Amino acid sequence: MLNLIKYEFIRKYRLVSMILITMLALNLFLLTRGVGGSMLFLVLSPIVLYVFYLADIIKMYSDDLNKKTGYMLFMTPNSGYKIISSKLLAAILEGFALVLIYFIFILINGTYIIISAGNEIDYSQIIKAVDNLLSGSLGFNLGHVLVFLLAALAFLIAFITTVYTAMTIRKSIFSEIKFGGLFSFIIFLLINWVLSFLSSKFYDIITPYYDTVDTISSTGRVSAGGLAMILLPMIAVLIIQAVSLTGISGYLLEKKINL
Amino acid sequence: MNKLSVLKITDLTKRYYNKTALENVSLDFEQGKIYGLLGPNGSGKTTLMKVVAGLHKQTSGSVLINDEMLSYKSKAYVSYMPTENYLYENFKVIDILKYYNTMYEDFRYDYAVNLLNDIDVNSDIKISNLSSGQIGKLKTVIALSRDAQIYMLDEPLNGVDVLSRDTILDLIAKSHSENKIIIISTHLVSEIEKILDTVIFLKEGIVEVFGDAEELRQERQLSVEGIYKEVFRNA
Amino acid sequence: MEFNNNIPIYLQVIEKIKQDIVSGKLKPGEKMPSSRDYSNELGINFNTVARVYRELENEEIVFTKRGLGTFITESDQIIEKLRYTMAKNQITAFIDGMKQLGYTKEDMIKFIETENNYLEGNE
């Protein structure tokens, strides 16, 4: 499994490097336009990164399903479950890496902005300010942040698995249909519709039990535990979604694929 | 002497919505033989190989390898060489070898390096910069560098210059051994027939002829190519 | 060695070995290459070579010593018989061919004598 993931990154290495170098160049250029340019970059870059990410994770799977180079992967003695799981994990890791890169860009540009404002950089001050912002007015602490991250991760995984399952269904059951990409997208929308229908039914079932739970305290703030309770059903649904979709994709890759 | 049937195909059928690629194909492959899978384009040779290689799923029928139903595990015993250029374009030759070495337990890395050296394929070049003849040689070397039980070579002589063809045929013959099966599909029959034990003629997805090459020569007083021309005259 | 794909290859290899024995290229008792080596040399399937050795062994023209290999017979008798058989085949083919051209037995013999003078003259 590790080897499969390793090779996913080896294969996309050049493309990702090019994108990052381009962004770095863009950043440097915008820095010459002063603080405004720097902030513009911080606003634009996540959009660019997100679009690239989406395109890249689709490409990572689509190339192997649709091009002859896919034989390299599919001739290896790996089960369909292993293959789809390695793609999923590689996509998640790539997501983490890009978020990390964005944070580095924030660090660079943030430092620049602070320096140009004539202030000295004192990271401990910055951290305190952020902490005050979050915990003071919004009542958040580390617990909340972790819960949010967990929810975001679950959402990411569910999203990727839905995309991949749509592609797998298209390439196995509907392998002879033209305009595969379009058809994959239609299947993607269908799966999303079915899943939101199913999950809303699920929420309907469990909501009665939630009325008894005290999530909001008297001060009007939500505790980390309370937040977790609210988001838990959603996280659970997403996890079930991800697991079952991965299972379906794995099964189709094993039994029904036609390259 | 009954040789072990390593690959057993029973009533294999592959249907697409507008054509039938294979129709009730039943074949028994014995260890230690080189098989020629012969027929014109579209006769089903590639489809047959892809099903055994696990890249296509059959509509009906079974494939048994070592008496076990075909599964992803079978890929560890089968070395398939597709007729297309399937290698990662931005990889160097040496990177491809390393990939194979990582993914397949039976890959003989040093053996492959030496072979490529012998046949003048530079390991340091990117796949996208190789000529079609070089790629043909490389694919064959990679496939034969695996110590597999079943080798399936789909048109190994395609796009390969005349001189290199002898090299490739030589390589194939040398890879032959008592506990292996080699299946070669081609429509260039005359060059390859000397090394074939058994020939299988596939016509529009159906097995037309199955027999020992020498016996066929004796019976029909014709070369395999001659028989091929007769069988496919109207194809 | 060039092969004619219209006749079984193993028959052609057998023929060649017999000729080499009779002409002296292959000495009595000489060791033949292994099936694999010989098949690599000739560019044919090693099962074909194995069959060649089997058939020759049936005719007692070669013999196999377990673990040591395949050897040409050392029996002068067998080699002589082989020479005789091959020569006879040549003669039969010759006579048939000449008959087809309309030669009688006497004409054939006369022709051979004149040709023989020609042969001797060129030695």
Side-chain angles (χ1 to χ4, degrees), chain A residues 143-169:
Chain A
H144 291 87
V145 175
L146 284 176
V147 172
F148 267 134
L149 287 178
L150 190 63
L153 181 62
F155 182 77
L156 176 69
I157 295 175
F159 175 71
I160 299 173
T161 50
T162 310
V163 173
Y164 280 174
T165 303
M167 292 168 72
T168 312
I169 291 176

Side-chain angles (χ1 to χ4, degrees), chain B residues 187-235:
Chain B
H187 55 269
L188 294 172
V189 185
S190 62
E191 295 181 58
I192 217 165
E193 61 172 291
K194 286 191 326 235
I195 66 170
L196 301 178
D197 279 300
T198 311
V199 299
I200 304 166
F201 282 46
L202 211 58
K203 187 174 184 181
E204 285 166 16
I206 302 178
V207 177
E208 281 285 313
V209 177
F210 181 96
D212 180 81
E214 295 278 67
E215 275 174 30
L216 284 168
R217 284 186 190 105
Q218 192 123 35
E219 270 172 31
R220 310 210 189 180
Q221 296 287 297
L222 276 177
S223 64
V224 174
E225 186 186 26
I227 303 171
Y228 180 95
K229 286 182 182 158
E230 269 188 9
V231 172
F232 295 110
R233 196 181 5 221
N234 304 318

